[in-house]
Amino acid sequence: FNVHSGFAKLALKFVKCFPKWSSYITSTSRVIVCGHSLGGAAGIIFTVVEILINKCKTANVYCVSFGAPMEKI
């Protein structure tokens, strides 16, 4: 999928750090990603990457975004 390069750059920083935290996550854990504006956009991308691409080991992944910019398609 296509995303704004600035949003992707920030989201990839989270994706790279996530393996350090993932050892604390179990199949019953709930992961809530939230952010505002740029953080919201990066949070959405991060959530999609973890669920679809990295196949996060918990099904309880949620994203709450406030005022995330949208890119025209």
Side-chain angles (χ1 to χ4, degrees):
F1 52 90
N2 294 323
V3 297
H4 184 278
S5 63
F7 302 159
K9 190 182 227 182
L10 181 59
L12 288 176
K13 288 182 180 183
F14 297 133
V15 170
K16 288 178 183 176
C17 292
F18 192 67
K20 296 175 189 173
W21 309 323
S22 65
S23 61
Y24 299 103
I25 299 172
T26 67
S27 60
T28 58
S29 295
R30 184 182 324 170
V31 177
I32 302 172
V33 179
C34 62
H36 175 264
S37 194
L38 174 59
I44 292 168
I45 297 167
F46 169 79
T47 302
V48 169
V49 167
E50 286 304 316
I51 292 172
L52 298 180
I53 298 172
N54 294 341
K55 303 200 180 357
C56 189
K57 63 184 173 184
T58 178
N60 299 315
V61 179
Y62 303 93
C63 181
V64 179
S65 176
F66 300 95
M70 294 174 40
E71 178 148 341
K72 282 188 174 181
I73 298 175

